[in-house]
């Protein structure tokens, strides 16, 4: 990751990735050269070349120990063929422009959703003194300093907040289209609730790109899905899903966050999605929740864990996709 990837979040902090708190600099005050060739990133590279683990990588370490696939492993699957000695700037960006979001999910927090601000004030867990936290303070300045590298990248991952209700996301799409960089792979983590925002119709912009991958953050169907993610409307989700069928360049996946709130229902949810052709059997991307810990499935009582294990053991052989079957197994391994 330190040779190919740059994550931008947390008020402009450039990090190794979205889960490892390993800061390399500040994109609001530093140039790409200062960060990409700086002491902080080179220290991490040197450490990793010596195969010395970093305790700040505990999320991937714990997931792998628990049998779940980590971001580290996923990155090797996708970019393992890259010769890191020849990479001069990031080829894979993860951009979180702000925490602006139209949902207040139970498993989220203020740092990732502006809608959480009032609740966070009550709990004393605010990430900033105001609701909206801008990670990239000046989009034009960011493009001036980082635009050339972005135009040379292979992939951009967009999350938030919610990218589809973030102005800077649309400025970025317009920048890429204007510079004929439409062969780049765009990947989204999105609540998939809005296909139109202010003056923009995202489908009209997406049709210009060769490859769009949408990972819809939906945790269950119907009322339980709506209860877990405040703001989610199951019927609107179905409407939006139908709208994108006309776009062959859009690859649609559902990406549930596995928590104590839905782990029992996930086999039924997956079956419903596949049976009703909302996804193909392989297009189910499981994200196992680590924090907040009260929703971590490791906290479930042993009796309930055994019940869930029985449900999954009978269900997994029915799954057509080997990769998804392995992901379901990883839930059991992680839960122990």
């Amino acid at each position: 990751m330190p040779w190919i990837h740059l994550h931008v979040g947390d008020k402009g902090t450039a990090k190794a990735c979205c889960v490892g708190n390993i800061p390399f600099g500040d994109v609001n005050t530093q140039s790409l050269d200062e960060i990409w060739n700086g002491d902080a990133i080179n220290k991490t590279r040197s450490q990793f070349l010596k195969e010395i683990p970093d305790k700040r990588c505990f999320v991937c370490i714990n997931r792998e120990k628990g049998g779940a696939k980590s971001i580290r492993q996923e990155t090797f699957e996708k970019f393992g063929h890259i010769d890191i000695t020849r990479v001069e700037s990031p080829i894979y960006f993860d951009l979180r422009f702000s925490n602006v979001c139209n949902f207040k999910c139970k498993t989220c927090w203020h740092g990732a959703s502006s809608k959480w601000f009032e609740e966070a004030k009550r709990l004393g867990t605010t990430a900033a003194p105001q609701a909206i936290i801008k990670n990239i303070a000046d989009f034009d300045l960011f493009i001036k300093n980082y635009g050339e590298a972005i135009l040379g990248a292979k992939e951009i991952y967009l999350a938030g907040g919610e990218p589809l209700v973030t102005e800077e996301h649309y400025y970025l799409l317009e920048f890429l289209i204007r510079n004929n960089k439409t062969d780049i792979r765009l990947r989204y983590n999105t609540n998939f609730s809005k296909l139109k925002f202010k003056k923009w119709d995202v489908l009209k912009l997406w049709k210009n790109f060769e490859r769009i991958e949408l990972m819809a953050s939906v945790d269950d169907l119907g009322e339980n899905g709506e209860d877990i993610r405040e703001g989610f409307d199951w019927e609107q989700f179905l409407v939006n899903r139908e709208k994108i069928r006309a776009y062959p360049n859009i690859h649609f996946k559902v990406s549930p966050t596995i928590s104590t709130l839905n782990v029992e229902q996930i086999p039924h949810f997956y079956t419903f999605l596949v049976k009703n052709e909302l996804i193909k059997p392989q297009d189910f991307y499981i994200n196992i929740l680590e924090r907040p810990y009260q929703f971590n499935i490791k906290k479930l009582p042993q009796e309930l864990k055994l019940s869930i294990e029985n449900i999954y053991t009978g269900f997994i052989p029915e799954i057509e996709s080997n990769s998804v079957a392995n992901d379901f197994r990883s839930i059991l391994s992680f839960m122990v």
Side-chain angles (χ1 to χ4, degrees):
M1 294 286 268
W3 286 270
I4 66 167
H5 175 68
L6 198 65
H7 165 77
V8 179
D10 290 353
K11 303 173 187 175
T13 303
K15 295 182 180 180
C17 71
C18 64
V19 293
N21 188 23
I22 305 176
F24 297 146
D26 185 343
V27 301
N28 290 317
T29 60
Q30 294 177 279
S31 68
L32 176 62
D33 181 67
E34 288 176 300
I35 294 174
W36 198 246
N37 298 302
D39 291 341
I41 197 169
N42 282 325
K43 182 180 179 181
T44 299
R45 289 168 179 159
S46 177
Q47 177 179 338
F48 286 178
L49 284 173
K50 296 173 185 175
E51 298 188 10
I52 301 173
D54 192 304
K55 62 182 180 181
R56 293 169 293 182
C57 295
F58 70 92
V59 171
C60 282
I61 292 170
N62 289 344
R63 286 176 67 86
E64 291 175 23
K65 284 181 178 178
K69 185 182 291 185
S70 70
I71 292 176
R72 185 189 74 87
Q73 292 169 325
E74 290 175 1
T75 304
F76 268 107
E77 289 178 2
K78 191 181 296 184
F79 296 108
H81 64 286
I82 298 292
D83 181 356
I84 60 174
T85 65
R86 303 182 67 177
V87 178
E88 297 180 354
S89 64
I91 60 172
Y92 171 25
F93 280 88
D94 176 349
L95 302 178
R96 319 286 175 104
F97 290 111
S98 72
N99 74 330
V100 170
C101 188
N102 56 330
F103 280 17
K104 188 177 78 172
C105 305
K106 287 184 175 178
T107 54
C108 196
W109 70 301
H110 177 222
S113 171
S114 54
K115 286 285 188 180
W116 253 91
F117 182 59
E118 293 301 325
E119 182 77 2
K121 279 200 300 183
R122 186 178 66 81
L123 296 171
T125 58
T126 53
Q130 71 285 342
I132 295 176
I133 304 170
K134 286 273 212 175
N135 294 331
I136 294 176
D138 185 327
F139 179 83
D140 291 335
L141 179 62
F142 174 73
I143 289 298
K144 180 181 178 181
N145 290 332
Y146 292 83
E148 183 178 350
I150 288 172
L151 293 177
K154 297 180 180 296
E155 179 174 311
I156 300 175
Y157 177 64
L158 295 152
E162 168 50 45
L164 299 189
V165 297
T166 304
E167 290 183 358
E168 291 86 351
H169 156 251
Y170 295 95
Y171 298 152
L172 176 67
L173 295 188
E174 291 173 337
F175 168 76
L176 294 171
I177 293 168
R178 197 162 56 244
N179 287 276
N180 298 312
K181 183 61 178 179
T182 54
D183 61 339
I184 194 167
R185 181 168 56 238
L186 295 178
R187 294 176 59 237
Y188 289 80
N189 186 285
T190 171
N191 62 39
F192 196 54
S193 62
K194 300 282 187 182
L195 299 180
K196 291 184 178 180
F197 177 68
K198 294 187 176 180
K199 67 177 181 179
W200 295 286
D201 181 335
V202 74
L203 292 179
K204 290 182 179 179
L205 295 169
W206 280 344
K207 71 179 181 180
N208 293 281
F209 293 89
E210 293 180 11
R211 293 169 294 175
I212 303 284
E213 181 180 300
L214 301 181
M215 291 189 291
S217 297
V218 181
D219 293 336
D220 199 359
L221 54 85
E223 291 183 2
N224 191 46
E226 293 173 345
D227 182 63
I228 296 170
R229 295 185 178 268
E230 183 178 316
F232 176 62
D233 184 321
W234 172 251
E235 293 302 323
Q236 186 62 53
F237 165 77
L238 296 177
V239 169
N240 290 347
R241 178 64 185 98
E242 289 304 309
K243 285 182 179 179
I244 66 170
R245 289 191 190 277
Y247 296 82
N249 62 326
I250 297 177
H251 185 183
F252 183 76
K253 299 181 178 182
V254 168
S255 179
T257 296
I258 308 301
S259 71
T260 58
L261 303 171
N262 66 346
V263 63
E264 288 182 272
Q265 293 82 18
I266 287 297
H268 174 67
F269 181 41
Y270 173 73
T271 300
F272 180 91
L273 293 171
V274 174
K275 182 178 179 180
N276 290 276
E277 299 183 343
L278 296 170
I279 61 169
K280 293 180 180 178
Q282 67 272 22
D283 291 334
F284 197 66
Y285 180 88
I286 286 172
N287 173 43
I288 302 177
L289 178 140
E290 285 269 355
R291 296 164 291 181
Y293 193 64
Q294 65 263 33
F295 297 124
N296 190 311
I297 58 177
K298 290 181 180 292
K299 285 185 66 68
L300 291 170
Q302 190 61 31
E303 183 178 344
L304 184 53
K305 287 182 179 180
L306 289 174
S307 173
I308 292 169
E309 183 177 357
N310 286 336
I311 294 170
Y312 278 47
T313 301
F315 173 71
I316 288 172
E318 301 175 6
I319 299 173
E320 293 181 36
S321 166
N322 288 332
S323 63
V324 173
N326 287 334
D327 284 347
F328 272 87
R329 293 187 185 99
S330 75
I331 295 173
L332 295 180
S333 299
F334 183 86
M335 184 175 62
V336 174

